[in-house]
Amino acid sequence: MKIARVTLRQLRMRLKAPFATSFGSFLDKDFLLVEVTDTEGTSGWGESVAFSAPWYNEETMKTNWHILEDFLIPLLFEEPIPHPEELSARFAPLRRNNMAKSALEGAVWDLYARRTGQPLAAALGGQKEEIEVGISIGIQPSIGDLLRLIEGHVAEGYRRIKVKIKPGWDTEVIREVRRHFPDLPLMADANSAYSLRDADRLKELDEYNLMMIEQPLAFDDIIDHAALQAELSTPICLDESIHSVEDARKAIALGSCKIINIKIGRVGGLTEARRIHDLCADRGIPVWCGGMLESGIGRAHNIAITSLPGFTLPGDTAASFRYWEQDIIDPEVTVENGRIRIPKEPGIGYEPVRKRIDRYTIRSQTYRP
Ligand code: OSB
Ligand code: MG
């Protein structure tokens, strides 16, 4: 593949409802889309999952723009791309900035899949016809609000419910959820809100038969998580702490987690996400695909990677309808009975709708070799 141009767009889309985590709340979502077009006029699309502020990790939409414009896009233009798998090595001399790398790499994967006439899922080696998904629910004003939301999402068919927790919104909340939904596949995500000093409080969660507790301790830690996992019967799942297959290998070796949440953006792209999947499959560590409140384009990439066999637990890829009045892809992502059908069309399998994308675009620029 020879790339003729790359277009970066900054979009702003309003969520249907604010989404609150232990580190902050989202309503307007600013993010970047990447469109790569080859010399034959075929386009591929990627999404950066970096937020507008560095509260999940150190990247932001603006640092992504800078890294893409000044470093990654020039590297893309340097030489033709025989296969998207080769980009991770081409980008490796640049430290981290994984979400920027992933946005561009994802666009090239989509382009490659379209050019070769296969769904992105198949191009990655995925064989599932459909995937099972859960849903992540933000921190609510009251436990009553949370219970009502859970009831609705259970009725919609979601396969498991994830509840965000933080100090002051944890054991009592989980106890009430469990009391109302005794058999619900349930998990909690702390987004790094605790430290080892809270071990006793976290141990109380062992009573509620959670599938896992996600990233209880610091965003950059795997040592304390190992100490905590030794004390907990609930499996720990790492999110923020895992940026690469090497991080995953070390965390597994230390016993820092029993499950890994794979986010394509956090690990630098589809190729690295697949490497982590392969390692975990080899070590008997179940994985699932996390979410970053993506638009349809990022969502489509999540669906494609989840088609790999080691994604045995339901991920956070909920329907477009849950987040957006109108998504920017056609068709939108729909969930039936907690399942999403893997599209059969070439590439990401959902068509980006330019008219809608234009409506949400607040800045754009095109780069050529
Ligand atoms: O930790 O998984 C997370 C949303 C924003 C930032 C971090 C996380 C989340 C979610 C929502 O849990 C996942 C989604 O619905 O896209
Ligand atoms: Mg998380």
Side-chain angles (χ1 to χ4, degrees):
M1 290 173 285
K2 232 174 140 7
I3 306 300
R5 60 175 192 276
V6 177
T7 299
L8 296 186
R9 293 179 177 85
Q10 179 187 335
L11 277 74
R12 180 169 298 158
M13 283 172 76
R14 173 153 293 191
L15 290 161
K16 278 182 165 175
F19 189 94
T21 69
S22 63
F23 58 76
S25 177
F26 302 84
L27 180 57
D28 282 318
K29 211 201 168 224
D30 279 272
F31 62 95
L32 305 185
L33 287 184
V34 179
E35 180 185 3
V36 298
T37 308
D38 69 6
T39 46
E40 286 158 40
T42 307
S43 282
W45 293 81
E47 174 169 343
S48 155
V49 297
F51 297 125
S52 52
W55 44 27
Y56 168 83
N57 69 348
E58 68 282 5
E59 297 182 79
T60 72
M61 184 191 67
K62 276 194 190 171
T63 67
N64 273 208
W65 192 295
H66 158 54
I67 296 294
L68 283 158
E69 173 175 272
D70 293 336
F71 301 103
L72 295 171
I73 294 171
L75 276 176
L76 201 71
F77 289 148
E78 234 169 43
E79 278 179 65
I81 307 155
H83 192 282
E85 268 165 21
E86 293 173 30
L87 288 178
S88 83
R90 197 181 294 193
F91 294 164
L94 304 182
R95 301 272 158 93
R96 292 276 184 102
N97 292 287
N98 285 348
M99 292 174 174
K101 290 174 180 171
S102 172
L104 189 57
E105 194 235 38
V108 174
W109 265 107
D110 178 30
L111 170 63
Y112 169 77
R114 287 178 200 254
R115 282 181 53 123
T116 53
Q118 52 183 334
L120 178 57
L124 290 164
Q127 290 180 350
K128 296 179 195 164
E129 296 263 315
E130 55 184 21
I131 59 169
E132 293 201 329
V133 294
I135 193 164
S136 170
I137 306 180
I139 290 162
Q140 300 301 314
S142 73
I143 295 180
D145 290 312
L146 177 63
L147 294 173
R148 270 187 295 281
L149 280 176
I150 293 175
E151 204 176 328
H153 292 314
V154 168
E156 287 171 317
Y158 285 101
R159 296 281 150 160
R160 67 103 171 95
I161 299 288
K162 166 166 137 184
V163 171
K164 294 287 192 180
I165 57 169
K166 65 175 182 182
W169 178 268
D170 46 28
T171 44
E172 199 189 328
V173 174
I174 297 298
R175 189 198 327 122
E176 283 307 295
V177 173
R178 198 33 106 205
R179 198 160 68 79
H180 285 81
F181 303 94
D183 303 319
L184 177 68
L186 178 67
M187 60 172 291
D189 184 0
N191 287 109
S192 299
Y194 298 91
S195 75
L196 264 191
R197 287 188 299 280
D198 303 307
D200 287 341
R201 184 145 194 99
L202 293 167
K203 261 191 274 185
E204 288 173 30
L205 292 174
D206 275 345
E207 261 182 68
Y208 303 109
N209 188 28
L210 299 179
M211 297 168 77
M212 69 196 90
I213 173 166
E214 186 177 346
Q215 196 73 35
L217 307 181
F219 71 94
D220 56 356
D221 170 77
I222 56 172
I223 302 288
D224 285 357
H225 278 100
L228 181 64
Q229 182 67 89
E231 302 257 311
L232 290 185
S233 56
T234 307
I236 290 178
C237 168
L238 288 177
D239 173 355
E240 282 89 331
S241 294
I242 305 297
H243 310 96
S244 63
V245 69
E246 276 298 279
D247 284 354
R249 179 182 64 76
K250 292 167 190 168
I252 295 167
L254 282 174
S256 318
C257 64
K258 294 181 177 164
I259 298 172
I260 290 180
N261 162 342
I262 296 181
K263 288 181 180 168
I264 304 163
R266 195 192 67 230
V267 305
L270 287 163
T271 305
E272 190 72 6
R274 192 172 58 184
R275 284 191 195 112
I276 296 175
H277 161 274
D278 294 350
L279 171 85
C280 289
D282 184 59
R283 303 290 160 90
I285 299 285
V287 301
W288 55 277
C289 182
M292 292 286 276
L293 310 170
E294 290 93 343
S295 84
I297 291 178
R299 199 162 297 281
H301 285 263
N302 290 344
I303 292 166
I305 193 80
T306 306
S307 71
L308 297 178
F311 284 83
T312 53
L313 295 167
D316 276 345
T317 312
S320 298
F321 165 83
R322 188 276 169 118
Y323 305 85
W324 316 111
E325 284 302 337
Q326 188 179 43
D327 206 340
I328 56 177
I329 50 166
D330 184 47
E332 300 201 348
V333 173
T334 55
V335 173
E336 260 174 79
N337 246 318
R339 297 195 180 91
I340 298 174
R341 294 202 65 77
I342 306 275
K344 295 203 159 44
E345 293 72 27
I348 57 174
Y350 301 84
E351 222 23 69
V353 182
R354 287 181 191 277
K355 243 173 59 189
R356 296 185 206 158
I357 291 171
D358 287 346
R359 191 181 325 136
Y360 297 121
T361 297
I362 54 183
R363 176 185 176 200
S364 81
Q365 197 164 330
T366 295
Y367 303 85
R368 291 170 212 279

